[in-house]
Amino acid sequence: MSHPQNFPLISGQQAINAGSIRRELDRLLQSNAAQPDQGNQLFRLRSASDWMEQASKRPIPKMLFGELWFQGEQCIMFADSNLGKSILAVQVGDSISRNEPLGPFRLEAGQQRILYFDFELADKQFEARYSSNYIHHYPFTHDFLRAELDPMADVPKDFGTFEDFLNHQLENLVVTTGATVLIIDNLTYLRSETERAKDALPLMKHLKALKTKHNLSILALAHTPKRDPALPITRNDLQGSKMLMNFCDSAFAIGESAKDNTIRYIKQIKQRNTEEIYGAGNICLFTITKPYNFLQYEFMAYGREWEHLRQPDDVDREALKTQATELKAQGKSLREIATEMGITHTRVARLLKVKEESQ
């Protein structure tokens, strides 16, 4: 008589009961837990202990830009226009390519090859920033690579859209250069409508897949929509905030000081590999300088965000209150008033001294 191979032979003297069958089933399930399910094409299933064991074989993430950006992370830096996002991004890339920390931010990951996708500046504009009168050029290392779009390039017929072709070429450069750090300036060029969730989601999924496939660290620059300078910067100030913020590993923002418009501050917005270090009570203050041939952020001190927010004077407050009162008299809701005035509905509620509407 043949017996199933997976179950032990039980003699006539042994009783077959529910307990023995259950123990054998548990043994089989445990032995097959790490085996892939051939019918499942989407998920990778392992026990929590197996995941921990696998993760323990990978190196601990190291800092690229202090606690703001770690190796292997998909990080977003965002700010309003003309606050110097590109200046800081180039400086961070140069720092990593030289293995020299920037300001107070530690660099633990060592020297890395940087691939900087510049969708903002032409080559002559880039030269102006990193030279003295276009002649004494700043000596970037050979590990800092810059790419810009070729305006004469045509989209091959094999690609449905320009964005598909762009993403393909971006990955191709990652492979051919051997870069381990990717800086994208800025996200708008990869998806034209990142403020809408349905457009932001494919973009973030694509970047995450690229990061995982090629073991990259990615820093992507993004914009903020119009915001109230009297309020602290939050994750809601990122254009397309919900979807972009949900899918990134870390994020930090650049703000402008209302006390002195030559001062910039960096604030930590999201983190996964560390606790919050540079929050509202401990922002980093910088000025933008060009001592010779390198436009850069120069660290000044630490500060508190509320000291650098706009404090409306009495005239400003009364003018806003009058405008809000008139709009309220027209039957508009707090949110409609806020949209028309370009301020938050919370501030409208404070101006009118009414309980905030739930809308």
Side-chain angles (χ1 to χ4, degrees):
M1 179 182 296
S2 62
H3 297 276
Q5 294 181 356
N6 291 330
F7 285 87
L9 180 65
I10 300 177
S11 67
Q13 288 75 27
Q14 291 177 302
I16 301 177
N17 54 45
S20 61
I21 294 175
R22 179 62 184 173
R23 285 192 294 274
E24 184 60 22
L25 286 173
D26 287 343
R27 185 188 67 80
L28 291 173
L29 287 171
Q30 290 174 8
S31 65
N32 292 327
Q35 299 300 317
D37 179 0
Q38 298 301 321
N40 178 32
Q41 302 298 318
L42 182 60
F43 295 99
R44 292 179 295 168
L45 177 64
R46 291 184 175 87
S47 70
S49 296
D50 286 343
W51 281 118
M52 296 284 283
E53 177 64 24
Q54 177 177 294
S56 68
K57 298 174 183 177
R58 295 198 177 101
I60 297 173
K62 297 179 179 179
M63 296 179 190
L64 289 167
F65 187 42
E67 288 84 359
L68 299 175
W69 182 27
F70 282 79
Q71 196 171 18
E73 283 189 341
Q74 185 170 311
C75 179
I76 292 179
M77 177 218 298
F78 64 97
D80 202 350
S81 300
N82 301 315
L83 290 189
K85 294 187 295 293
S86 299
I87 296 170
L88 181 59
V90 169
Q91 190 175 358
V92 169
D94 180 66
S95 160
I96 297 170
S97 73
R98 294 179 177 278
N99 194 24
E100 296 176 0
L102 191 168
F105 304 111
R106 286 183 287 168
L107 172 58
E108 301 175 334
Q111 188 173 14
Q112 309 277 319
R113 174 159 287 187
I114 310 297
L115 182 52
Y116 188 97
F117 284 91
D118 193 344
F119 299 111
E120 292 286 339
L121 300 180
D123 56 358
K124 205 66 182 174
Q125 295 169 325
F126 188 81
E127 181 192 18
R129 288 188 173 188
Y130 303 106
S131 68
S132 176
N133 296 320
Y134 295 96
I135 51 176
H136 300 292
H137 291 174
Y138 177 76
F140 286 97
T141 74
H142 293 297
D143 281 323
F144 188 101
L145 307 174
R146 176 181 176 272
E148 66 175 50
L149 282 177
D150 180 357
M152 304 302 292
D154 294 323
V155 179
K157 295 180 180 179
D158 297 341
F159 296 92
T161 66
F162 171 75
E163 290 173 349
D164 292 338
F165 182 47
L166 177 65
N167 290 333
H168 176 269
Q169 292 296 287
L170 186 148
E171 182 173 6
N172 183 58
L173 278 185
V174 169
V175 173
T176 56
T177 61
T180 55
V181 175
L182 187 63
I183 300 178
I184 301 171
D185 185 7
N186 61 66
L187 281 176
T188 303
Y189 283 86
L190 298 188
R191 284 291 190 280
S192 57
E193 300 290 342
T194 53
E195 71 275 9
R196 299 189 310 195
K198 73 179 185 66
D199 296 297
L201 178 58
L203 166 61
M204 297 306 288
K205 288 175 67 176
H206 173 76
L207 291 180
K208 182 178 178 64
L210 192 68
K211 181 198 76 163
T212 303
K213 182 178 179 180
H214 299 289
N215 195 28
L216 300 174
S217 306
I218 299 178
L219 177 64
L221 280 57
H223 293 301
T224 63
K226 184 178 180 181
R227 60 179 304 275
D228 186 348
L231 297 176
I233 301 174
T234 70
R235 61 180 57 204
N236 294 327
D237 290 313
L238 172 61
Q239 181 174 302
S241 60
K242 288 188 178 179
M243 200 58 66
L244 294 175
M245 194 63 72
N246 287 345
F247 277 85
C248 71
D249 300 302
S250 56
F252 62 95
I254 302 173
E256 180 180 38
S257 172
K259 294 169 57 176
D260 184 344
N261 62 9
T262 66
I263 295 176
R264 305 286 185 266
Y265 67 86
I266 292 178
K267 180 183 180 182
Q268 194 171 19
I269 302 297
K270 179 181 179 179
Q271 61 285 326
R272 283 180 174 165
N273 278 314
T274 181
E275 62 183 2
E276 182 183 278
I277 304 296
Y278 304 108
N282 189 43
I283 58 173
C284 297
L285 304 177
F286 292 82
T287 56
I288 297 177
T289 63
K290 189 179 181 182
Y292 180 47
N293 60 1
F294 190 80
L295 191 60
Q296 61 186 287
Y297 271 58
E298 184 175 325
F299 178 70
M300 296 172 55
Y302 299 103
R304 295 174 294 185
E305 185 179 20
W306 52 87
E307 296 174 342
H308 296 270
L309 299 177
R310 181 175 179 270
Q311 303 298 321
D313 56 31
D314 292 337
V315 175
D316 288 338
R317 189 179 295 106
E318 285 304 314
L320 289 172
K321 183 177 179 180
T322 299
Q323 185 182 2
T325 302
E326 291 174 352
L327 293 172
K328 183 69 175 176
Q330 297 173 19
K332 295 183 181 292
S333 68
L334 293 189
R335 291 186 183 276
E336 289 170 337
I337 295 171
T339 300
E340 187 161 335
M341 294 179 62
I343 60 178
T344 65
H345 67 277
T346 303
R347 189 173 181 192
V348 172
R350 289 201 304 267
L351 288 169
L352 297 175
K353 295 183 179 179
V354 298
K355 186 176 181 181
E356 191 174 332
E357 299 172 2
S358 57
Q359 302 179 40

